[in-house]
Amino acid sequence: MSAPHPLKRLFGHARRYRRDVWLASLYSVLNKFFDVLPEVLIGVAVDVVVNRKDSFLARVGVHEPKDQLVLLAAVTALIWVGESLFQYLYDVKWRTLAQNLQHDLRQQAYQHVQRLEMGFFERQRTGNLMSILGDDINQMERFLNGGANDLIQVFCSSLMVGAVFFALTAKLAFLSLIPVPVILYGAFWFQGRLAPRYAGVREAAGTLASRLSNNLLGIATIKAYTAEAYEAEHVRQGSDAYRVRNAEAIRLSAAITPVIRMAILAGFTVTLLYGGFLTLNGELGVGSYSVLVYLTQRLLWPLTRLADMTDLYQRSMASIERVMNLIDTPLAIPYEGRHLPAGSVKGALTFDAVHFAYGEQPTLQGISLTVPAGHTVAFVGTTGSGKSTLVKLLLRFIEPQRGRILLDDTAIGEANLQDLRRAIGYVAQDSFLADATVADNIAYGLPTAGRDDIVAAAVAAEAHEFIAQMPQGYDTQVGERGQKLSGGQRQRIALARAILKNPPILVLDEATSAVDNETEAAIQRSLERVTRNRTSLIIAHRLSTVRHADTIYVMEQGRIVEQGTHDALLALGGQYAALWRLQTGERAGGNPIADSV
């Protein structure tokens, strides 16, 4: 079963604009009706000058030639006013519709993207998504701005001019209008072959955007490794692929206009010659002949724009298809579920035989543990042991393949996703900061917070001192992704953000692994205060960060291999004790290596 047409899919998502579409289309039709009439009036004027009291107007009751011309002038003025009025109306209506639909579609697409599971983003390139949300939606707007009106008016012009032809002389009409179906068929023939080419163009554009986005985000690394020429070559290859795809489409679309011109020439020549012969033989009036010549020009010449219209149409359809496919991407993790009212969450967690694997590689193998409300637990182990996957499962970035996780007595898979995440404060290794002020970033997710609460959270995170020294204090702009701040400053603002949220559960995923010793000490002091009476999960490589946890779990290849307090694990002499000696430089007996040097 073939997929619905992109336009049908588009307007299926924009039902509230259907009235605007119908009105805009009506204005386009009325404008074309008034646009065709001046050519008819030229023929009537020629008829008045040539036949005078025997003219068409004389036969309908206006006998004096001068009165006939005055009437024609008045009617002409009305026609031009009508044409101008409806041109204004359709222009405003189509452009407003384009802007509104563009805005709504981008919002709808972006909001849907935010609801997709993290696995979707691991499969997609950021640049490709940016291309869809940006240029593809803009391409749709360009089509509605002008292309839709052009298509409607070409269709209406063909019908209206054809009706006039047949009313004046059916014999000539058949011959003169033969090129029209040929032209329209040719345009659709080209259109069908352009569609896959422009789909390829949009894919190439997305690939190029991904490369550019990736390089701009990693510009420091590119410079540090003097890889400018290497990456410039990658961009050249992506740009060249985009250019080649465009060239394939251009070669085909450029052929449309010459073919249409030849068909137009045939139609115009038939009207000029055959109509002229009929007029010379007295079978067709001079005025009617003038009308037919002008109308042939008016009908056929705009058809040369079918090339541009077809090109714009196919580009837009390819873009709309990509946008609609993104919006129609199903949600793997539903948002709806049992509500968890604010303040009712105690924070007890249970991992019950949880399994998870990325592809064929198991990451968690039957993890079972219980975290009482208000306790602090830590997860340590080598890279790839499954520590961060536990956090992703708790936040429902991903779903377990077997087993379940309980928050208090509710399986988190049955809970409302937004309520679940509101109950968790999350601080990652590389915390995201918005391109906004320091205050805005601390209040991120809690925009109603007052300045006093923001400052109190910054004080608790030991961030107030350096914030106060900034040029505008809490109103200082941090730059894109917080680039105006050091790594340690970003982490302390991220911690202040979690503290302000005041969640029953706090999760720190390698929050101190990339900071200096002074910042780590500051964060550690903050954690000792904010984790009291709050369920806290800490993932860390630096064991000094977790030594005061109520329970420490040592993980290896997706399993818990040791658990206990810091002192108990050191006494056990297993993997944790070995990691501790490695990081602190202590020998098995507990003396620093430095003491023996």
Side-chain angles (χ1 to χ4, degrees):
M1 184 176 178
S2 60
H5 191 276
L7 276 181
K8 184 177 181 180
R9 296 177 68 187
L10 173 64
F11 288 110
H13 282 267
R15 290 183 178 89
R16 70 191 187 99
Y17 291 113
R18 287 181 178 178
R19 181 175 179 273
D20 292 326
V21 172
W22 283 112
L23 276 176
S25 301
L26 177 62
Y27 296 151
S28 294
V29 171
L30 291 173
N31 169 260
K32 180 49 64 177
F33 172 74
F34 282 104
D35 184 50
V36 168
L37 290 180
E39 275 68 27
V40 176
L41 292 182
I42 289 172
V44 175
V46 172
D47 184 50
V48 168
V49 172
V50 173
N51 295 317
R52 300 181 182 242
K53 292 187 178 183
D54 294 325
S55 68
F56 168 76
L57 288 181
R59 293 196 295 273
V60 297
V62 184
H63 300 288
E64 288 297 323
K66 290 183 179 179
D67 294 338
Q68 295 173 13
L69 291 175
V70 170
L71 177 62
L72 281 176
V75 173
T76 299
L78 288 174
I79 288 172
W80 280 71
V81 168
E83 181 187 359
S84 300
L85 172 64
F86 287 110
Q87 180 175 357
Y88 170 78
L89 290 175
Y90 83 62
D91 211 15
V92 169
K93 205 67 178 175
W94 278 120
R95 290 190 179 190
T96 302
L97 174 64
Q99 294 300 319
N100 289 339
L101 193 53
Q102 175 199 44
H103 171 74
D104 286 1
L105 198 62
R106 182 173 285 117
Q107 290 294 107
Q108 186 180 1
Y110 177 69
Q111 288 171 11
H112 183 75
V113 165
Q114 289 190 120
R115 293 165 66 89
L116 292 169
E117 74 284 1
M118 291 301 294
F120 171 83
F121 298 95
E122 292 168 0
R123 297 188 300 270
Q124 292 285 332
R125 293 176 175 176
T126 302
N128 188 51
L129 291 175
M130 290 172 63
S131 177
I132 294 173
L133 294 172
D135 192 50
D136 282 326
I137 292 178
N138 292 341
Q139 190 70 46
M140 178 274 300
E141 180 236 355
R142 286 191 283 271
F143 170 69
L144 289 179
N145 265 341
N149 171 72
D150 288 343
L151 288 173
I152 290 171
Q153 292 204 328
V154 164
F155 177 75
C156 291
S157 178
S158 301
L159 291 181
M160 293 175 186
V161 173
V164 174
F165 263 70
F166 279 100
L168 294 175
T169 168
K171 290 190 296 183
L172 181 58
F174 277 114
L175 294 173
S176 299
L177 296 178
I178 283 175
V180 174
V182 175
I183 290 169
L184 294 177
Y185 174 80
F188 284 113
W189 185 88
F190 275 107
Q191 183 188 108
R193 280 147 186 78
L194 277 172
R197 286 172 171 81
Y198 278 127
V201 168
R202 298 315 312 150
E203 289 299 323
T207 300
L208 177 58
S210 295
R211 171 60 64 180
L212 290 170
S213 173
N214 185 71
N215 285 6
L216 290 175
L217 289 173
I219 192 66
T221 302
I222 292 172
K223 287 177 175 293
Y225 283 85
T226 62
E228 291 91 342
Y230 176 79
E231 291 299 344
E233 175 60 19
H234 272 116
V235 171
R236 187 201 66 76
Q237 291 173 4
S239 182
D240 191 53
Y242 177 61
R243 179 182 61 83
V244 169
R245 291 294 183 92
N246 258 311
E248 292 172 355
I250 289 169
R251 279 194 294 271
L252 189 59
S253 66
I256 302 175
T257 299
V259 172
I260 291 175
R261 283 178 181 271
M262 294 302 101
I264 290 171
L265 174 63
F268 188 75
T269 303
V270 167
T271 303
L272 192 68
L273 290 176
Y274 188 55
F277 294 152
L278 292 177
T279 304
L280 291 175
N281 293 335
E283 298 178 45
L284 185 66
V286 175
S288 297
Y289 177 58
S290 302
V291 171
L292 293 176
V293 171
Y294 280 116
L295 283 180
T296 303
Q297 175 80 358
R298 175 53 65 95
L299 168 64
L300 297 179
W301 192 251
L303 293 177
T304 59
R305 296 178 58 200
L306 274 175
D308 293 334
M309 283 185 269
T310 302
D311 188 81
L312 178 60
Y313 176 80
Q314 283 305 337
R315 286 179 182 269
S316 301
M317 292 308 102
S319 292
I320 291 171
E321 186 80 11
R322 277 160 51 88
V323 176
M324 291 299 105
N325 286 343
L326 178 60
I327 290 176
D328 291 339
T329 303
L331 298 178
I333 300 177
Y335 268 56
E336 301 306 318
R338 175 181 168 186
H339 280 287
L340 302 173
S344 68
V345 177
K346 297 181 177 62
L349 294 171
T350 302
F351 291 79
D352 181 15
V354 174
H355 290 256
F356 185 83
Y358 291 101
E360 300 297 323
Q361 182 63 38
T363 306
L364 296 177
Q365 303 183 61
I367 297 295
S368 293
L369 61 94
T370 299
V371 182
H375 278 227
T376 297
V377 299
F379 298 92
V380 300
T382 57
T383 300
S385 59
K387 306 183 300 296
S388 293
T389 301
L390 282 174
V391 172
K392 292 179 181 179
L393 288 167
L394 177 60
L395 285 160
R396 290 190 70 197
F397 292 161
I398 53 178
E399 296 277 59
Q401 279 130 9
R402 293 203 306 275
R404 60 178 185 160
I405 302 172
L406 302 177
L407 171 56
D408 297 334
D409 295 322
T410 301
I412 64 171
E414 301 171 2
N416 179 279
L417 190 56
Q418 296 287 62
D419 288 350
L420 171 68
R421 290 173 180 170
R422 289 190 185 102
I424 301 172
Y426 176 57
V427 183
Q429 178 179 354
D430 183 19
S431 293
F432 167 79
L433 294 187
D435 189 2
T437 66
V438 171
D440 290 338
N441 274 285
I442 294 176
Y444 195 74
L446 198 65
T448 57
R451 181 55 63 95
D452 290 343
D453 293 331
I454 292 172
V455 172
V459 170
E462 298 204 13
H464 176 71
E465 184 177 344
F466 77 79
I467 294 173
Q469 295 174 356
M470 291 180 171
Q472 285 83 42
Y474 284 83
D475 295 317
T476 301
Q477 293 285 333
V478 303
E480 186 178 10
R481 298 182 65 85
Q483 62 183 356
K484 294 182 180 180
L485 305 177
S486 70
Q489 290 173 333
R490 287 197 296 270
Q491 285 301 86
R492 279 187 268 185
I493 288 176
L495 181 59
R497 179 166 63 195
I499 292 170
L500 179 64
K501 187 177 179 181
N502 193 28
I505 301 170
L506 182 64
V507 174
L508 294 101
D509 187 0
E510 303 286 5
T512 64
S513 64
V515 298
D516 55 66
N517 291 333
E518 181 182 349
T519 301
E520 182 189 6
I523 292 176
Q524 187 62 42
R525 289 192 299 269
S526 301
L527 290 179
E528 290 174 6
R529 293 190 294 270
V530 301
T531 57
R532 292 191 192 119
N533 303 317
R534 190 192 311 271
T535 304
S536 302
L537 280 69
I538 304 174
I539 295 173
H541 279 299
R542 294 183 181 180
L543 302 187
S544 57
T545 308
V546 302
R547 62 184 299 176
H548 299 296
D550 296 309
T551 306
I552 300 171
Y553 294 94
V554 182
M555 298 187 66
E556 187 66 37
Q557 297 182 346
R559 300 180 185 276
I560 296 173
V561 294
E562 294 178 5
Q563 67 182 74
T565 63
H566 172 76
D567 292 335
L569 290 173
L570 285 183
L572 185 64
Q575 289 193 25
Y576 182 86
L579 285 171
W580 178 259
R581 291 195 299 271
L582 181 67
Q583 291 186 15
T584 61
E586 292 182 2
R587 294 189 175 194
N591 297 321
I593 294 175
D595 291 346
S596 63
V597 176

